Amino acid sequence: MKKKLNFYSKFSNFVSSLKIMLLLFGILFSLSGCERISAPMLPDHGTSEAEPLTVMTYNVYVGSSAEPLLAVENLLQVPQEVANMYNNVIASDFPGRAAAIAKSIKTYQPHLIGLQEISLIRRQSPGDRITGGLVEAEEVVLDYLQILMDALQAEGLSYQVAAQVENIDVEMPMFTDTGIVDVRLTDYDVILSRSDVPISRPTSANFTNILSIETLGLEIQRGYTAVDATIDGVTYRFVNTHLEAFAEENRVAQTQELVDILSNETLPIVLLGDFNTRATNGTAYQILLSAGYVDVWQMDSEGTGKTCCQDDDILNEVSDLTGRIDQIFVRNLELPNSVVTHTVGDKPADRLASGLWPSDHAGVVAHFAYPSPEL
């Protein structure tokens, strides 16, 4: 069952309500993390007719930083800062960025894609949150999943939503020229599968270990999605996640929870996502290695391996990626001789005409070149 956040059941005055909004909105709009690599050509498979198993992970970025909101000293300024952040999201032009992401996907046409920060932004006018109302905003402003699916179709690609999990669902007021408007942000992790890939056993769940703000009675949901996917006669368990960004204790616990959930899985596992733990010394990263997971990252001759993060407005001219927190792991899987991994969306040519990067993260792609089953 989806767990809704009820901000006002425990608070009866305006300042307390704004305090809740401040903390939650900051958490929501900071969901992020990634890294980068340069993009080589697809592997040469010689006489083999087998298509390489190709997977991708991409944190698409909601489009704004929470720092200005978190820095306010007068809580009465919060609705204006919420409005600023909302305007930043609109300015980040997800439709344009989705078109660029779709082009990267078209280049490599992965069998499976794990996406993070797939957002649904809705409004309600006039808003009622500031007075303690609980009517949920339903007017859709931006549906990132639909926008991306439309962009993929425009590129002539055929993908389907194989699984998705709802994480956080938060609504708060903002100032506009016409009065108080409520804005609602719902965050999802999503798996896309290419239409020619048979899938089964879809799973979507939230972690039991979540970041709690005890004084406010709030819980910040994170989750994972998984499917079985059959490629060239081999069935894989494909898992996508976005771990806690703000508290290492929760991130480590979520990692262990995921390891335990998958511990009895006998299928070959491909586990990827935004783990918010740096390779190679992050605690959560080390837990995965200790559990038998293999990080398939291989540096090509030109790439740096960084995936996170560009400037908050994603308009920086020179890439600012500094850490590798978007990763692809495998377990129960004998790796072939040819495994090529690289980043996408991190080179100057990937920027939009407006100067925007496709995301504050780079996407990561891995190709596993197995011989044809007939050979």
Side-chain angles (χ1 to χ4, degrees):
M1 294 289 292
K2 177 177 69 175
K3 189 165 186 177
K4 290 284 184 182
L5 301 181
N6 187 335
F7 300 107
Y8 300 97
S9 60
K10 296 186 178 181
F11 300 89
S12 60
N13 61 66
F14 175 62
V15 172
S16 294
S17 297
L18 286 177
K19 184 183 293 184
I20 298 170
M21 298 171 213
L22 168 65
L23 291 174
L24 279 182
F25 199 75
I27 290 168
L28 272 175
F29 277 92
S30 298
L31 294 173
S32 195
C34 258
E35 215 180 282
R36 104 177 179 174
I37 315 165
S38 73
M41 299 296 290
L42 288 173
D44 179 4
H45 309 297
T47 59
S48 172
E49 296 179 356
E51 179 185 9
L53 167 65
T54 302
V55 299
M56 172 186 280
T57 179
Y58 216 135
N59 182 324
V60 304
Y61 186 44
V62 66
S64 182
S65 167
E67 286 189 22
L69 177 61
L70 296 175
V72 300
E73 296 181 359
N74 183 349
L75 293 179
L76 297 178
Q77 299 172 351
V78 170
Q80 183 57 56
E81 291 298 341
V82 170
N84 292 342
M85 295 178 68
Y86 174 85
N87 292 335
N88 290 341
V89 170
I90 300 302
S92 76
D93 183 20
F94 186 71
R97 296 193 289 114
I101 292 169
K103 290 183 185 301
S104 293
I105 292 172
K106 184 176 183 178
T107 299
Y108 301 104
Q109 300 187 35
H111 296 92
L112 297 153
I113 307 169
L115 301 169
Q116 307 88 43
E117 290 194 41
I118 294 293
S119 302
L120 175 60
I121 299 173
R122 289 170 280 188
R123 289 170 48 121
Q124 177 178 285
S125 180
D128 66 353
R129 293 291 179 178
I130 204 164
T131 58
L134 297 175
V135 177
E136 294 182 331
E138 296 294 348
E139 178 191 349
V140 175
V141 178
L142 290 169
D143 183 339
Y144 284 33
L145 182 56
Q146 188 60 57
I147 291 168
L148 181 57
M149 296 301 285
D150 290 344
L152 291 171
Q153 186 175 22
E155 291 292 339
L157 302 175
S158 181
Y159 281 85
Q160 61 186 342
V161 176
Q164 64 179 352
V165 61
E166 179 182 309
N167 296 312
I168 305 172
D169 187 2
V170 178
E171 185 169 338
M172 69 289 293
M174 67 176 181
F175 289 151
T176 71
D177 292 340
T178 58
I180 298 291
V181 172
D182 289 344
V183 60
R184 179 181 176 191
L185 175 62
T186 311
D187 171 75
Y188 297 89
D189 299 326
V190 175
I191 293 174
L192 299 183
S193 61
R194 216 170 63 188
S195 60
D196 61 340
V197 175
I199 60 168
S200 61
R201 203 164 49 119
T203 302
S204 300
N206 295 115
F207 294 115
T208 58
N209 188 288
I210 55 181
L211 177 62
S212 296
I213 305 174
E214 294 182 3
T215 56
L216 302 176
L218 301 174
E219 297 178 334
I220 309 306
Q221 296 279 12
R222 300 279 183 166
Y224 68 93
T225 56
V227 296
D228 289 354
T230 302
I231 296 112
D232 280 333
V234 179
T235 300
Y236 304 86
R237 189 62 171 163
F238 183 82
V239 186
N240 171 44
T241 192
H242 189 183
L243 300 181
E244 180 54 53
F246 297 96
E248 184 176 31
E249 179 181 358
N250 297 98
R251 178 166 58 251
V252 167
Q254 290 168 2
T255 305
Q256 189 60 58
E257 184 177 344
L258 191 55
V259 165
D260 292 343
I261 289 168
L262 297 173
S263 62
N264 294 323
E265 182 59 66
T266 58
L267 290 176
I269 297 173
V270 179
L271 170 62
L272 49 66
D274 176 359
F275 292 88
N276 279 310
T277 183
R278 290 204 173 210
T280 57
N281 58 354
T283 303
Y285 180 91
Q286 289 296 322
I287 289 173
L288 288 166
L289 295 187
S290 297
Y293 288 86
V294 177
D295 180 0
V296 302
W297 171 253
Q298 294 178 347
M299 251 292 263
D300 64 84
S301 60
E302 299 178 3
T304 67
K306 306 297 190 296
T307 65
C308 182
C309 291
Q310 307 295 3
D311 289 358
D312 296 332
D313 64 4
I314 52 176
L315 282 169
N316 47 294
E317 293 187 11
V318 178
S319 178
D320 287 342
L321 303 178
T322 60
R324 186 163 73 86
I325 65 176
D326 302 88
Q327 297 139 6
I328 300 174
F329 297 92
V330 298
R331 188 170 72 83
N332 303 339
L333 179 62
E334 182 178 350
L335 292 173
N337 291 331
S338 178
V339 180
V340 177
T341 57
H342 54 91
T343 51
V344 297
D346 55 351
K347 287 161 281 297
D350 297 322
R351 297 173 70 196
L352 280 63
S354 61
L356 291 165
W357 292 94
S359 172
D360 66 335
H361 291 237
V364 185
V365 180
H367 310 281
F368 303 83
Y370 290 96
S372 172
E374 293 79 21
L375 296 180

